[in-house]
Amino acid sequence: MTTTTTKKNSAAPEPRRSRPVIGLPASAASLGAAIGAVATFASTFLAWTWTAEFPGDLTVTGYPGGLQLLTLTGALLTLVFVVAGYGVRGLGWLTPGGKNGPVLLFALGTFATTWYTVIAIAVKLGGLANLEPGGYVAAAASLLTLAAALGLPSDVAGDHDNPNVWQRFVQSFKAPTPKEASALPGWAEILIIAAAFGLGLFVFTYGIDTEAAELFIGYILLVAFGATAISRAGLNRRLAGLTSKHKNVTVTAAFVSAFAFPFTQSNDAYASIGTNILIFATVALGLNVVVGLAGLLDLGYVAFLGVGAYTAALVSGSPSSTIGIQLPFWAAVLCGAGASLIFGVVIGAPTLRLHGDYLAIVTLGFGEIFRITMQNLDGSSGPDVTNGSNGIPNIPDLDLFGFNLGEPHTILGVELGRFSNYYLLMLLFTIIVVTVFRRSDQSRIGRAWVAIREDETAARAMGINAFRLKLLAFALGATLAGMAGTVQAHVTFTVTPAQYKFVEAVPPNSAFLLAAVILGGMGTVSGPLIGASLLYLIPAKLQFMSDYQLLLFGIALILLMRFRPEGLIADRRKQLEFHETGQLDAPKGDIGLSKAGV
């Protein structure tokens, strides 16, 4: 009898499926989500309003436009992942991390975009009377899709006994470990990488090309939920595995996609956003050397960008320059990078013996001292060098090998304007900075930086000269920022002290640069590039919210630190640091001899 009890208690419990957020059979929930997605897709071919005053012209039957295209895309992706959940051959590759979580997230994104559109039409045009039947159909169908998706069981085990509906809903967003995928041919993996970067270029270009704020808000809603759904499906990890396997192909595909961007733009004003994003992203990547690799909290980093910009403005032939000389561009770049390097060493040598908050306060002070000094060198408060608050205007456009970057040029049958020309020049500098960062990260020096960042005392004990290596990181980051500043001076025509405040509504500034590194993912190459793109693109497109941008920015950072402290793109070390306890799990089940009748 005792033996029988022991076997009964030691047997593994039967696995139970997780309880859905809404109590529906899984098959009925999947069918309802599929029907709702098809109905939502069909609703985009109906007119949603009778007047073309709303951006995007949603009055045409049989031809989706504006925000209808976003709803159509969300409904189609929802349907694809619902079908993938049925085990259709080939589509299972899309859901290595789970099949129901992505459906819920895509349904939620489609619902948010559709209902935002309906509400925006009613608010902008003056009431629900401005909606056509297609708008009501879209709202009802997207609601049906979301309700059915909430009925799907969670892919994460362990929440079946939880009576709290909200907690089970949040649990539906958590991704389990993706399943191992069967090996693909090398050519197929390369095609997947190329397709991923091509899709990324299309999504990014679509966001830049949106003219109305209503369209951009809908775009942000769908992209945010869509990116979370892709992560929940495990596709990001699967793609990361392919990119780490084909690193050279990945780098080539990334820069080919970036090179193609200006050729997709018919308006040079949109190319200007891309140019400034590259400047911002390049400087953020330089800061990533200091913060992400060496772990030095620098709050005055934008000053090094200003040193490079002011140096280039003084030696590039501006009529307002007090020096009155004009050097070729390559010499101006060397001057700007060299001046920033000198400032980095001069500032770093006496301050890098400080740690943590003390170092942050000193670098913050340096940033403000630089801005105030440039403002006082006006011939009144100090020597006449920088023209004070007026800055150095009328910086001439660059002329490289007879190619004037300020004039339109036709390349490959496409006319590239001034900002497209500077975009391609800045892309070259970005390639240089990325190469320097990758080589540094993979070198002995890079490993020493990481050791200092993780535990400086232990690094010193292992024989690492921490002060010398921290000074090297500080100087290298300053040099990269100064190099980007030489291009910024020619792009903006004018260099003024107001451009280099610690906090300013329009980046780049020290606060936004640091936020870009943290948002994207410290210590990675693509993280600061993505973080900088988001932090520049969103304020540029939401000018009508300028009074609330810093408030929304703060809320976004709080949410990010709560739900994804390692950043959007995080390396393995950061994921373990923020999500692993480092302790063994407590034993579960009936263990010991007490249950065996002893």
Side-chain angles (χ1 to χ4, degrees):
M1 184 69 180
T2 303
T3 306
T4 304
T5 306
T6 303
K7 290 182 178 180
K8 180 179 179 180
N9 291 333
S10 61
E14 292 293 329
R16 288 189 290 177
R17 295 185 63 85
S18 298
R19 183 191 298 179
V21 177
I22 294 180
L24 291 175
S27 58
S30 297
L31 181 61
I35 293 174
V38 171
T40 306
F41 179 88
S43 71
T44 61
F45 292 86
L46 303 174
W48 287 12
T49 182
W50 57 270
T51 174
E53 293 182 8
F54 190 81
D57 193 3
L58 311 182
T59 64
V60 182
T61 299
Y63 189 81
L67 285 164
Q68 287 177 324
L69 292 174
L70 298 176
T71 296
L72 182 150
T73 303
L76 183 60
L77 290 172
T78 304
L79 182 61
V80 168
F81 278 84
V82 169
V83 175
Y86 283 101
V88 177
R89 183 177 178 83
L91 291 181
W93 195 89
L94 297 175
T95 57
K99 59 184 180 180
N100 295 329
V103 173
L104 174 59
L105 285 165
F106 276 122
L108 190 57
T110 306
F111 171 82
T113 304
T114 304
W115 278 68
Y116 163 74
T117 305
V118 171
I119 294 173
I121 291 173
V123 172
K124 186 176 182 65
L125 302 182
L128 294 175
N130 294 282
L131 286 172
E132 288 288 293
Y136 292 104
V137 172
S142 63
L143 180 60
L144 170 64
T145 308
L146 178 60
L150 289 172
L152 294 171
S154 172
D155 296 317
V156 181
D159 65 339
H160 46 268
D161 292 325
N162 189 351
N164 190 304
V165 176
W166 171 251
Q167 291 182 4
R168 293 202 306 272
F169 174 73
V170 173
Q171 189 76 0
S172 300
F173 290 78
K174 297 181 179 180
T177 303
K179 297 177 292 186
E180 292 292 333
S182 56
L184 296 175
W187 61 266
E189 294 177 344
I190 293 174
L191 283 180
I192 291 173
I193 293 173
F197 279 101
L199 179 62
L201 173 64
F202 174 78
V203 172
F204 179 73
T205 302
Y206 187 92
I208 282 187
D209 290 347
T210 53
E211 297 182 356
E214 291 85 354
L215 298 179
F216 186 75
I217 293 176
Y219 162 83
I220 287 294
L221 288 173
L222 185 61
V223 168
F225 283 106
T228 308
I230 290 174
S231 176
R232 176 63 182 79
L235 280 176
N236 58 336
R237 293 189 184 183
R238 180 160 287 181
L239 182 60
L242 296 181
T243 55
S244 62
K245 183 178 179 180
H246 303 280
K247 291 183 179 180
N248 292 332
V249 173
T250 301
V251 174
T252 302
F255 284 107
V256 167
S257 300
F259 177 80
F261 167 74
F263 295 92
T264 65
Q265 301 300 302
S266 58
N267 189 339
D268 201 42
Y270 297 148
S272 69
I273 297 178
T275 305
N276 286 291
I277 286 176
L278 271 187
I279 294 173
F280 188 20
T282 303
V283 179
L285 194 58
L287 178 60
N288 199 24
V289 174
V290 180
V291 177
L293 294 183
L296 305 174
L297 185 55
D298 187 351
L299 298 182
Y301 187 75
V302 75
F304 298 121
L305 176 70
V307 171
Y310 265 102
T311 303
L314 289 171
V315 301
S316 295
S318 170
S320 301
S321 172
T322 56
I323 297 180
I325 62 174
Q326 183 170 3
L327 298 178
F329 178 62
W330 63 267
V333 171
L334 292 178
C335 289
S340 296
L341 170 62
I342 293 172
F343 270 85
V345 173
V346 169
I347 298 301
T351 60
L352 287 179
R353 299 189 186 277
L354 301 174
H355 302 276
D357 299 339
Y358 302 102
L359 177 62
I361 292 172
V362 170
T363 54
L364 175 61
F366 164 67
E368 289 301 297
I369 288 171
F370 167 78
R371 181 182 63 83
I372 295 172
T373 301
M374 294 300 103
Q375 188 168 333
N376 289 338
L377 296 179
D378 57 357
S380 176
S381 302
D384 187 9
V385 179
T386 63
N387 298 323
S389 58
N390 294 324
I392 304 176
N394 302 319
I395 302 172
D397 283 310
L398 294 174
D399 194 328
L400 303 177
F401 308 106
F403 189 89
N404 192 319
L405 272 64
E407 299 176 356
H409 299 275
T410 301
I411 300 177
L412 300 178
V414 178
E415 185 179 273
L416 300 181
R418 177 180 183 272
F419 288 108
S420 296
N421 296 332
Y422 278 105
Y423 174 90
L424 296 177
L425 175 64
M426 196 61 221
L427 181 61
L428 176 62
F429 279 82
T430 305
I431 294 174
I432 296 173
V433 173
V434 168
T435 303
V436 171
F437 183 89
R438 290 186 64 200
R439 295 295 184 183
S440 301
D441 185 23
Q442 298 168 4
S443 66
R444 283 184 56 196
I445 295 176
R447 292 193 294 272
W449 282 337
V450 173
I452 293 171
R453 182 192 70 192
E454 297 300 322
D455 192 330
E456 184 173 341
T457 303
R460 289 177 183 273
M462 296 301 294
I464 295 176
N465 190 329
F467 174 76
R468 185 181 66 183
L469 288 173
K470 288 195 295 183
L471 184 60
L472 178 61
F474 211 72
L476 178 59
T479 303
L480 298 179
M483 189 170 59
T486 59
V487 180
Q488 186 203 32
H490 292 88
V491 171
T492 58
F493 283 123
T494 302
V495 177
T496 62
Q499 295 173 324
Y500 307 106
K501 295 181 179 179
F502 173 72
V503 177
E504 182 68 19
V506 179
N509 55 67
S510 292
F512 273 76
L513 287 170
L514 184 61
V517 174
I518 297 174
L519 170 66
M522 293 189 296
T524 63
V525 175
S526 57
L529 300 179
I530 294 175
S533 300
L534 292 175
L535 290 182
Y536 192 93
L537 179 62
I538 293 176
K541 287 295 182 179
L542 300 180
Q543 295 289 346
F544 72 99
M545 300 181 68
S546 58
D547 294 338
Y548 304 98
Q549 280 182 6
L550 291 179
L551 173 63
L552 297 176
F553 173 67
I555 294 174
L557 282 183
I558 292 173
L559 294 175
L560 178 71
M561 293 299 100
R562 171 61 182 84
F563 295 105
R564 196 169 177 82
E566 71 273 22
L568 298 178
I569 307 294
D571 58 11
R572 181 62 176 166
R573 183 184 293 108
K574 287 297 181 183
Q575 290 177 336
L576 293 174
E577 179 181 344
F578 286 107
H579 295 288
E580 297 290 340
T581 62
Q583 300 176 354
L584 295 176
D585 292 336
K588 296 180 180 179
D590 297 332
I591 61 174
L593 300 178
S594 60
K595 297 294 184 180
V598 177

